[in-house]
Amino acid sequence: FKQKTAYEIRLSLVGSEMCIRDRYALDDAVTTPAVALEDGTDFVPTAPVYLMPQHFSAIAAAGPIVGPIVACEQFGWLPCLLWILGGVIFIGAVHDFSALVASVRHRGSSVAEIIRENLSHRAWVAVMLFIWLALVYVIVAFTDVTAGTFLGRIEELDGVQVGFNAGGAVAFASVAYLALSVLMGVVQKRWNPPLWLVTIVFVPATLGVVWLGTQWSEVFAITAGNPHKTWGLILLGYCLVASLLPVSFLLQPRGYLGGFVLYLVLAVGTIGIFFGGQEIQQPAFKGFEVGGATGLLFPFLFVTIACGACSGFHGLVCGGTTSKQIAKESDCRPVGYGAMLLEAFVALIALVTIMIVVPGGPKSSAGATYGRGIGQFATVILGKEHLLFATVFGSMAFSTFVFDTLDVATRLGRYIIQELFDWRTRTGAIVGTLATVGAPLLFIATAAAPGPGRPPTYMAFWTLFGTSNQLLAALTLLGITVWRKRLGKTVWFTYVPMLFVLAITVCALSLQAWTGFTGFRGADGTLAPTQLANGLVATTLLVLAGLVVIEAVRALRAVPARSS
């Protein structure tokens, strides 16, 4: 297993040269890290039928839902449609598949470790800091949006009258969903029943807790003090504990159940789109410049749709958790490439939920738009008399997608800290987790409660989150390009997408850094703290990315020319 030559297999092209699976020459005879390093905690060989929904639910969170809706409102639906379709085929799925294969062939290492082995130690340090900052933004944004859904009046249900505590219903369903996941993990560990039996018991139970949430909505309703902050701190406490648990105890069963929720939403959306009789209401194109600091179609369309077309966070999931569970190399195809195609499907359905909204109406959040759209699609099956319940289900599904990503991001942050300091002990895991949740904890603890009429706090970070996310994808593709070049393999299918995404994100990040330091100032002449923080982080990310690019150029120049 330790012999690198075991992974350096000559390409054996079968069929088209365009098929990237043949570019990587997947070989099930090669022992994967999950098998060679099996420890029952992080390295656990897992069948693709179980791993696929886990991976899918980890990567498909708020990004492929909020991004397309916000971008459509800004630029029209046609540019969004073209970017999602073209991006996922030629960039996003190639990125995910390549990152997963690269990690499997580097002993289940993270993206940063792959860069250290193939670029330099300096590039490794720079990308480690870049990834950690990007993960902090993921945790801050998703903790904020999830805490908001647990309030008595949540943004996803703005304007929808319900006969129960809507936020409490989401909180109950989410807590019960986690309890079911833990119970499923214990049952599998202790008795190892057939997967089909586990599925027919726990998947319907997952849907049942959604209904129970509407019946027992007051159980977890918090009204005293600052509920938003309270839930934020509770969620970060959950992330602290969950990211230290064995993957078989919570992450795997929760991902498996969450994947079925995603599949159900995809099925409902498909049926509603084709048989719901909805008409397109939004304009196809609104212009190349629509105003505001991020109103330029290029580059901000591409980074506003933070996921669905391309996402660097997926590379972290591939190298952080999924590669450690790949039982054989051929499983990388359905898990890596297939899950990204499904995420694009999630983004397309989210795009349709805003396309059917009549322009000029009351302003709604992205979550509210999505929930109402899924509710309308579901009435094709349930009947129009069940629109209210269907809308609540759509909103709860949105909250569940976001919730699933939080502890995955925390676990990945823990891996980064442990790799950075080579601290592989249990103490290192605890310290790494504390460091990762520390910055989000500081923000949540000091942030003011959201007020009426104000946009949700996470929207202040969304564009920078999207930009850093896609720049991370470019850096991942850059590292993979250098790795393949050193092996003497073809690199154009990773090199060209890398250049495209790198150009877009560097441009977007530069504009955000400039706006952060020169933009709107308050009455006292000072910059808003959030704006200034975004400017500082944008500048830092630019510097770190520049260092990685410089080291990559040096590494490529050191590669001997191939003889003809």
Side-chain angles (χ1 to χ4, degrees):
F1 176 78
K2 294 181 180 179
Q3 294 290 333
K4 289 186 178 181
T5 55
Y7 294 125
E8 299 173 6
I9 307 170
R10 295 182 60 86
L11 292 177
S12 177
L13 297 180
V14 178
S16 172
E17 283 276 316
M18 297 293 291
C19 185
I20 65 170
R21 68 178 184 180
D22 295 327
R23 297 288 185 182
Y24 284 104
L26 302 181
D27 186 355
D28 288 346
V30 175
T31 304
T32 64
V35 175
L37 304 176
E38 183 175 0
D39 58 9
T41 300
D42 292 324
F43 291 86
V44 181
T46 306
V49 69
Y50 196 67
L51 182 58
M52 169 70 167
Q54 174 203 315
H55 178 76
F56 182 34
S57 63
I59 65 174
I65 296 173
V66 176
I69 293 174
V70 173
C72 179
E73 290 176 327
Q74 286 183 288
F75 305 108
W77 59 264
L78 182 57
C80 302
L81 179 65
L82 294 176
W83 169 231
I84 293 171
L85 291 177
V88 69
I89 294 172
F90 299 108
I91 302 176
V94 173
H95 164 272
D96 287 22
F97 178 77
S98 298
L100 184 54
V101 174
S103 180
V104 167
R105 293 181 176 179
H106 284 81
R107 303 169 302 283
S109 297
S110 69
V111 169
E113 187 65 25
I114 293 171
I115 287 177
R116 175 164 68 171
E117 289 191 27
N118 293 279
L119 273 69
S120 69
H121 182 81
R122 287 188 295 270
W124 172 71
V125 172
V127 83
M128 289 282 275
L129 295 174
F130 186 104
I131 291 172
W132 191 81
L133 277 175
L135 284 172
V136 166
Y137 260 65
V138 170
I139 297 170
V140 167
F142 287 6
T143 298
D144 185 72
V145 69
T146 308
T149 64
F150 291 170
L151 301 181
R153 182 176 183 275
I154 62 174
E155 58 166 299
E156 283 76 17
L157 296 175
D158 285 345
V160 178
Q161 300 300 317
V162 294
F164 49 84
N165 187 315
V170 178
F172 182 92
S174 297
V175 173
Y177 162 65
L178 290 175
L180 275 176
S181 300
V182 172
L183 178 61
M184 178 177 165
V186 171
V187 168
Q188 288 186 297
K189 190 73 172 179
R190 187 175 180 85
W191 293 287
N192 192 28
L195 185 59
W196 65 265
L197 179 59
V198 172
T199 302
I200 64 174
V201 171
F202 283 94
V203 170
T206 302
L207 302 178
V209 300
V210 175
W211 177 81
L212 285 178
T214 66
Q215 306 302 304
W216 297 341
S217 61
E218 298 296 332
V219 174
F220 293 110
I222 299 177
T223 57
N226 186 336
H228 193 280
K229 181 180 296 186
T230 301
W231 271 119
L233 298 177
I234 291 173
L235 286 168
L236 290 175
Y238 157 77
C239 291
L240 180 65
V241 175
S243 64
L244 294 170
L245 294 174
V247 294
S248 60
F249 189 73
L250 175 62
L251 190 147
Q252 284 185 341
R254 189 210 62 211
Y256 184 72
L257 296 178
F260 276 93
V261 176
L262 279 166
Y263 298 151
L264 179 60
V265 172
L266 290 177
V268 168
T270 302
I271 293 172
I273 289 172
F274 284 100
F275 303 103
Q278 303 290 341
E279 296 183 359
I280 297 176
Q281 303 291 344
Q282 293 287 323
F285 183 64
K286 294 186 177 180
F288 290 97
E289 184 175 356
V290 295
T294 59
L296 295 171
L297 187 143
F298 182 90
F300 290 110
L301 164 72
F302 303 93
V303 298
T304 300
I305 303 179
C307 307
C310 176
S311 173
F313 176 73
H314 297 183
L316 301 185
V317 176
C318 288
T321 58
T322 304
S323 66
K324 296 175 175 64
Q325 301 172 69
I326 292 290
K328 57 182 186 295
E329 284 198 346
S330 62
D331 293 346
C332 293
R333 288 199 296 269
V335 175
Y337 203 95
M340 183 60 214
L341 296 180
L342 282 178
E343 177 168 301
F345 197 13
V346 173
L348 290 174
I349 291 175
L351 179 61
V352 176
T353 64
I354 182 64
M355 290 169 62
I356 62 176
V357 174
V358 178
K363 187 69 173 179
S364 296
S365 67
T369 300
Y370 182 77
R372 292 170 187 170
I374 295 297
Q376 291 183 55
F377 297 152
T379 58
V380 177
I381 304 170
L382 302 176
K384 294 188 180 299
E385 66 274 15
H386 297 293
L387 175 61
L388 180 59
F389 174 80
T391 301
V392 173
F393 169 75
S395 300
M396 287 182 175
F398 172 79
S399 302
T400 302
F401 301 160
V402 180
F403 193 62
D404 280 357
T405 303
L406 279 173
D407 62 278
V408 173
T410 307
R411 184 182 290 263
L412 295 174
R414 185 251 289 183
Y415 289 160
I416 293 298
I417 295 297
Q418 288 187 271
E419 284 191 26
L420 184 61
F421 296 101
D422 196 21
W423 204 354
R424 310 288 178 166
T425 64
R426 187 66 176 174
T427 301
I430 295 173
V431 172
T433 304
L434 287 171
T436 301
V437 301
L441 180 65
L442 179 63
F443 174 82
I444 295 296
T446 57
R454 291 204 311 236
T457 306
Y458 71 87
M459 288 306 299
F461 302 96
W462 188 263
T463 305
L464 184 54
F465 153 68
T467 309
S468 63
N469 183 36
Q470 294 201 10
L471 181 52
L472 177 57
L475 298 180
T476 301
L477 287 171
L478 178 60
I480 292 170
T481 299
V482 175
W483 166 57
R484 288 186 58 81
K485 188 70 173 179
R486 292 182 63 188
L487 295 178
K489 309 298 184 181
T490 305
V491 299
W492 67 265
F493 64 93
T494 58
Y495 182 70
V496 174
M498 179 273 296
L499 286 179
F500 180 77
V501 178
L502 185 65
I504 288 172
T505 51
V506 168
C507 180
L509 209 56
S510 300
L511 290 172
Q512 288 174 84
W514 176 261
T515 303
F517 295 121
T518 64
F520 175 78
R521 295 177 181 270
D524 58 356
T526 60
L527 292 166
T530 301
Q531 181 178 314
L532 182 59
N534 283 345
L536 290 171
V537 172
T539 303
T540 302
L541 293 176
L542 276 172
V543 172
L544 294 174
L547 290 174
V548 176
V549 172
I550 291 173
E551 292 300 312
V553 171
R554 290 177 177 174
L556 287 173
R557 288 179 175 175
V559 175
R562 298 178 63 183
S563 58
S564 57

